Amino acid sequence: MAALCESFTLCGLGPSGGVGLGGGLLALEPGPDPDHVLLTDRGRTATLFKVSDQKPLGCWSVKHGQIITCPVVCNFETHEYIAVHDDKISELGLCSCHTCFSFFPCKLPWVLRIWNNKDINLDKVFKATLSADVYRVHSLPNGGPVVLFKGGGVRTLDVLLEAPQQEIENIISDEVIKWSEAFMEGQQPVLIFTTEKDGDFFVYIQKLKMNSLHRYKLEQQELSKPLSFTAYIKNQIITLLCLYSSDSVYKVLIPLQQNTEEEEQILSKSLLLNLSVSGSVLKGTSFVVLDKDHVAVLGSLAASGEESKECLTIWNTKFQTLQTSKELPLGTSGQLWCYEEKFFFTHGKVLTVIMYKCETSSLAAAVGKLKDSQTPDVSSYVNWNTLGDEELVVSFQSQQSVALKSESKMTLRSKRNTVAKVQPDTLSVGQLLLNLKDASTTAFEDELRQLMSKAQMPDFQATIGCVITALINRCKTNPKYYPRNFLLQIVQTRDLSYSLCPDLMAVALEKKDVHLLQICLQRFPDIPEEITYACLKVFLSISEAYLQRIDVNLESVICYIDIEFNNKEVKTEIVENGFSAELEQDIWDTKITKETHLTCDGEFCPVGPQKAALLNAVLHSAYSETFLLPHLKNLPAQQAVLFLRYLYYLYVKCSEKINTTLPGIRSPTINQIMDWMCLLLDAQFTVMVMLPDAKELLSNLHKFVRAQVRFYSELNKIEGSLRELQRLNHQKDSQTYSIEVLELI
């Protein structure tokens, strides 16, 4: 028995939705941890993802003009990463291989890179220029990386690195490699690859330690050719599976022990599976082996007289039955990967992950008559954005039936009665949303509010996510419709996350609903850095006059920014933290105009209270410096200066307090202010230095920091005396009156 379980989105693939995957996905490989996968795009970027968190852990790119030519892999023994790219830059001038020092295009264009998680710039990592074109690098858990060249030559990575420019033999002549895979048979690395020439297909088996190579010819089939290959090894026999254009899967058995001296043998194949069911035929594009009795096929299911639909299917090869399928209405790239009981494939503009389970194959399970003895867990990863209306109904019914099964195991009659009463309402959730698709706005929102009020665990979070999806879908179909108050109510009263409703903040950004964005930044723990940057850019670009007409939560600023009715800040009496800035003015300082003084010296807030509250929400959001820094580099210069002025203002305000803490609710901390200030200067330092408007700001910031350093340096000098004073205070009798003179040395 096989079944598809919950699904979720790992990352976006579009120019604005992915992490370096704008060029499309080239391949997906396992990472150093079972929960990690390594994505290579059709361009210059490789990204390491943690699947359970749906978050990138690292991203590396080669130079502009260079292209990664084969999937990046992980060396499981050293936890290093290996990539091969072309060296197009060498065609622009002096060769970069450092061997020929030619001013002509180099004849050694293939470069191998090796790096680890600590490396950021690939230009500074290990580099080896190779003498032949690389087709693929395979990494084996106990055998190390193996490099397959386009000419059919094979080298282990260790052997290749001993002499990177060693001559690589050309074995396959005019043949073109179509597919390859590597295995470990005991302690022996084994490589298999298929080639094609003039319509004929050949199979090569390479044993690396024994340096033996066998070549076979695949038995031809009229009016059909292989589209995809996969293989596995067991008991010294390689089982090669071939997906043919005739909508069939064939099996070829290849023993590793070959005593014959024949140069070429013809491999016979046997039919394993016909991809047809109930008059419908599956036009497969790629497939993977799940176990000895199950294969998964990605393709288009077409019935006579009906439009074909792309879907993911699991087949039982033992009983020739279709076990389960999932329609993919947004389309796929035709690629399918499978690791750790998870499917990975592109669906529309996102990379989707679907978990699956396979159990022991039996006739009862194959025909769908096996009783379900295990109750799967309720989905913890659901991307409601990718569900269509029909999928919405099926998803809710499946999840709620799981909950009801779990509840029905209770033996108490009262529990069974409760489930019986709840069942009609819970089963109608998906259908209700589908029926409301064409309802009026008032009826639509009223029904959704009632649905939320009736939602009970365990489907509570699922219901809320579906309600938001329904609202967002209506916003997309009707641009004039935007239920701002309803969305605010949901976000403020429910425990949500970005992954549960990823399109919510995108719509809020489009509508410039800064109040909703502020609440989302405060409450969502998993906002991507790209969305955080988009919010920052919107907040900085909106005029103060527009913000004064908008309801914004001012709790984070009202305690340290005093505002008069004319929107001018009231300068109150303050006590600086142990130093006077006037004493730090250099002799060459010139007089500052009043206008500049109000914006550059840190005493007056450079933005209004509404904008300050919005920026505080950004400062509180979680982020990874690695992934936020590239976005901050794109921040317009004037907005970057304004943001730095506000950070400088907050820094001065914090320094006025002995505990360096701003008053108020959700006010930024000194650590958050310093982190963002450093991050912004790292991203915009060149612009800041060249921009005349920022010169005085940087000068004042430098003087203020220098004064702080001097002040704390003086405190360190008297630290011992202060401790002695504290000790004496503890020893004296509090009942007697005395006057003491303590001399600090």
Side-chain angles (χ1 to χ4, degrees):
M1 177 182 175
L4 295 172
C5 304
E6 60 266 24
S7 65
F8 57 93
T9 296
L10 182 61
C11 66
L13 301 176
S16 62
V19 180
L21 300 176
L25 190 59
L26 173 65
L28 185 147
E29 293 287 328
D33 186 89
D35 193 29
H36 296 170
V37 291
L38 194 58
L39 276 59
T40 307
D41 75 348
R42 297 184 181 276
R44 43 187 289 267
T45 304
T47 308
L48 181 68
F49 272 90
K50 185 174 182 180
V51 179
S52 60
D53 291 345
Q54 304 150 59
K55 273 283 192 178
L57 301 178
C59 184
W60 304 273
S61 299
V62 296
K63 288 182 178 179
H64 285 284
Q66 297 175 340
I67 297 177
I68 298 177
T69 56
C70 64
V72 177
V73 299
C74 174
N75 186 338
F76 300 106
E77 296 179 342
T78 64
H79 285 192
E80 294 176 324
Y81 305 103
I82 305 167
V84 178
H85 65 83
D86 60 4
D87 202 6
K88 295 283 183 65
I89 293 179
S90 64
E91 299 180 6
L92 303 178
L94 182 65
C95 170
S96 63
C97 69
H98 307 298
T99 56
C100 63
F101 297 99
S102 170
F103 283 92
F104 299 98
C106 183
K107 296 181 180 179
L108 309 176
W110 299 91
V111 177
L112 184 142
R113 301 272 186 181
I114 301 177
W115 72 95
N116 56 36
N117 284 321
K118 296 181 181 179
D119 295 315
I120 299 176
N121 188 350
L122 290 189
D123 289 337
K124 299 180 181 180
V125 303
F126 177 83
K127 169 184 175 181
T129 305
L130 308 179
S131 62
D133 299 351
V134 175
Y135 173 76
R136 186 82 183 253
V137 180
H138 292 281
S139 185
L140 297 169
N142 298 315
V146 177
V147 182
L148 171 63
F149 292 86
K150 288 189 176 181
V154 181
R155 297 286 190 277
T156 63
L157 183 64
D158 294 339
V159 172
L160 182 62
L161 294 181
E162 290 177 359
Q165 296 174 34
Q166 61 186 274
E167 183 179 355
I168 305 298
E169 64 277 7
N170 191 345
I171 298 174
I172 62 176
S173 183
D174 297 331
E175 301 170 24
V176 178
I177 299 179
K178 293 294 185 180
W179 167 85
S180 65
E181 188 57 84
F183 313 99
M184 287 296 296
E185 178 61 27
Q187 300 297 320
Q188 169 79 356
V190 178
L191 185 74
I192 177 175
F193 61 94
T194 61
T195 64
E196 187 266 339
K197 178 182 178 182
D198 299 330
D200 292 329
F201 286 83
F202 304 91
V203 180
Y204 290 81
I205 306 293
Q206 172 85 54
K207 301 178 188 176
L208 274 70
K209 288 188 177 180
M210 299 177 62
N211 197 24
S212 65
L213 177 68
H214 292 277
R215 181 177 187 266
Y216 308 89
K217 183 177 182 181
L218 201 59
E219 181 183 9
Q220 286 188 331
Q221 183 171 340
E222 295 184 1
L223 304 178
S224 181
K225 64 177 182 178
L227 302 175
S228 180
F229 301 90
T230 188
Y232 61 91
I233 189 170
K234 185 177 181 181
N235 299 329
Q236 295 285 316
I237 296 178
I238 295 178
T239 301
L240 176 66
L241 302 183
C242 312
L243 174 62
Y244 273 76
S245 57
S246 59
D247 312 318
S248 302
V249 178
Y250 286 85
K251 179 172 67 174
V252 179
L253 300 180
I254 310 172
L256 284 180
Q257 302 296 334
Q258 291 287 342
N259 298 322
T260 178
E261 297 297 331
E262 295 182 14
E263 293 186 0
E264 181 177 287
Q265 302 179 55
I266 297 179
L267 295 173
S268 60
K269 59 183 183 296
S270 59
L271 180 64
L272 179 68
L273 180 66
N274 274 319
L275 301 177
S276 61
V277 57
S278 302
S280 300
V281 178
L282 180 67
K283 299 289 184 181
T285 56
S286 59
F287 72 122
V288 293
V289 177
L290 306 183
D291 59 22
K292 64 184 182 68
D293 294 326
H294 296 93
V295 296
V297 185
L298 184 67
S300 300
L301 191 62
S304 57
E306 296 183 5
E307 185 179 356
S308 61
K309 300 177 181 178
E310 288 195 65
C311 58
L312 174 65
T313 59
I314 298 181
W315 299 75
N316 187 308
T317 58
K318 185 176 182 180
F319 298 106
Q320 300 285 304
T321 57
L322 174 63
Q323 292 285 274
T324 184
S325 66
K326 179 177 178 61
E327 186 178 335
L328 306 172
L330 301 181
T332 71
S333 64
Q335 301 164 291
L336 178 64
W337 299 274
C338 178
Y339 297 111
E340 298 294 328
E341 295 186 345
K342 300 180 185 71
F343 292 121
F344 299 83
F345 57 89
T346 61
H347 186 213
K349 295 183 179 181
V350 300
L351 179 63
T352 298
V353 182
I354 295 184
M355 301 181 183
Y356 72 90
K357 63 175 183 177
C358 281
E359 298 177 354
T360 304
S361 180
S362 64
L363 183 59
V367 298
K369 298 298 183 182
L370 182 66
K371 293 184 179 180
D372 189 7
S373 59
Q374 295 182 354
T375 302
D377 294 334
V378 178
S379 171
S380 58
Y381 302 105
V382 181
N383 185 354
W384 298 104
N385 180 46
T386 60
L387 295 179
D389 294 325
E390 291 79 6
E391 290 176 289
L392 213 55
V393 177
V394 174
S395 177
F396 264 94
Q397 290 179 348
S398 62
Q399 288 199 23
Q400 290 157 353
S401 64
V402 166
L404 291 177
K405 285 181 182 179
S406 177
E407 190 77 13
S408 64
K409 291 183 178 181
M410 299 183 180
T411 56
L412 294 176
R413 182 178 300 274
S414 60
K415 291 291 183 181
R416 291 199 299 269
N417 292 339
T418 302
V419 173
K421 292 178 182 178
V422 173
Q423 184 175 0
D425 292 334
T426 56
L427 289 178
S428 64
V429 172
Q431 188 62 46
L432 175 62
L433 293 172
L434 188 59
N435 295 339
L436 290 174
K437 188 175 182 180
D438 299 323
S440 64
T441 300
T442 304
F444 178 71
E445 294 187 7
D446 289 344
E447 289 293 336
L448 291 183
R449 284 189 172 90
Q450 292 182 16
L451 180 61
M452 290 173 56
S453 64
K454 295 179 181 179
Q456 302 293 331
M457 296 300 290
D459 63 334
F460 179 75
Q461 285 290 82
T463 302
I464 301 301
C466 196
V467 167
I468 294 181
T469 299
L471 291 169
I472 296 302
N473 288 341
R474 175 162 285 212
C475 291
K476 292 179 178 179
T477 56
N478 182 9
K480 296 182 180 180
Y481 174 72
Y482 183 63
R484 179 178 180 275
N485 294 332
F486 195 7
L487 291 173
L488 272 173
Q489 177 190 353
I490 297 175
V491 175
Q492 288 176 329
T493 58
R494 309 297 180 183
D495 292 329
L496 301 177
S497 63
Y498 177 86
S499 56
L500 188 63
C501 45
D503 266 5
L504 175 60
M505 295 189 70
V507 172
L509 284 167
E510 181 182 351
K511 302 290 185 180
K512 286 186 168 43
D513 188 350
V514 294
H515 190 195
L516 179 58
L517 291 173
Q518 180 191 27
I519 302 303
C520 291
L521 286 168
Q522 292 173 349
R523 299 182 67 90
F524 289 0
D526 57 344
I527 300 176
E529 287 77 2
E530 183 180 13
I531 300 298
T532 302
Y533 165 75
C535 293
L536 173 63
K537 190 174 180 181
V538 168
F539 295 164
L540 291 171
S541 62
I542 294 180
S543 66
E544 298 285 357
Y546 176 79
L547 288 176
Q548 290 175 8
R549 304 192 302 266
I550 296 178
D551 182 21
V552 176
N553 189 345
L554 301 179
E555 288 181 338
S556 65
V557 300
I558 200 65
C559 291
Y560 64 87
I561 298 182
D562 299 327
I563 306 300
E564 290 183 341
F565 292 106
N566 59 359
N567 294 322
K568 297 292 185 180
E569 183 184 357
V570 176
K571 186 70 175 66
T572 58
E573 185 70 21
I574 60 173
V575 179
E576 294 183 352
N577 190 8
F579 75 99
S580 173
E582 294 178 359
L583 299 178
E584 299 297 327
Q585 297 296 327
D586 291 337
I587 193 171
W588 48 266
D589 282 348
T590 58
K591 291 184 179 181
I592 304 172
T593 63
K594 184 176 181 181
E595 180 181 0
T596 306
H597 177 75
L598 292 177
T599 57
C600 290
D601 65 358
E603 294 185 358
F604 290 88
C605 186
V607 298
Q610 289 83 5
K611 184 171 292 189
L614 296 175
L615 295 177
N616 286 354
V618 174
L619 298 182
H620 269 284
S621 61
Y623 65 89
S624 169
E625 181 177 337
T626 303
F627 300 107
L628 183 59
L629 188 62
H631 295 296
L632 286 180
K633 291 181 179 179
N634 299 324
L635 191 66
Q638 295 300 327
Q639 294 182 12
V641 172
L642 179 61
F643 190 32
L644 183 60
R645 283 175 177 166
Y646 179 64
L647 292 172
Y648 175 42
Y649 166 79
L650 292 178
Y651 182 43
V652 173
K653 279 289 184 181
C654 284
S655 301
E656 295 170 358
K657 308 296 180 182
I658 294 179
N659 59 358
T660 64
T661 302
L662 290 174
I665 302 174
R666 299 192 185 95
S667 298
T669 65
I670 184 66
N671 289 335
Q672 291 171 338
I673 297 168
M674 293 296 295
D675 289 344
W676 273 92
M677 192 180 296
C678 295
L679 193 62
L680 184 62
L681 287 173
D682 286 343
Q684 297 277 337
F685 185 74
T686 304
V687 176
M688 295 285 185
V689 172
M690 300 297 292
L691 201 63
D693 296 345
K695 180 179 179 181
E696 190 169 0
L697 173 63
L698 293 177
S699 177
N700 289 337
L701 179 59
H702 169 69
K703 294 171 187 175
F704 188 85
V705 173
R706 183 177 60 185
Q708 288 285 78
V709 172
R710 290 181 181 178
F711 172 68
Y712 285 107
S713 177
E714 294 297 325
L715 284 181
N716 287 332
K717 293 179 182 179
I718 64 172
E719 181 181 6
S721 300
L722 293 176
R723 286 182 178 176
E724 182 66 17
L725 177 61
Q726 185 179 18
R727 185 182 66 82
L728 293 175
N729 287 336
H730 283 303
Q731 291 179 353
K732 70 179 182 179
D733 185 7
S734 59
Q735 300 297 326
T736 60
Y737 172 79
S738 64
I739 298 176
E740 299 180 15
V741 178
L742 300 176
E743 183 178 355
L744 298 179
I745 301 175

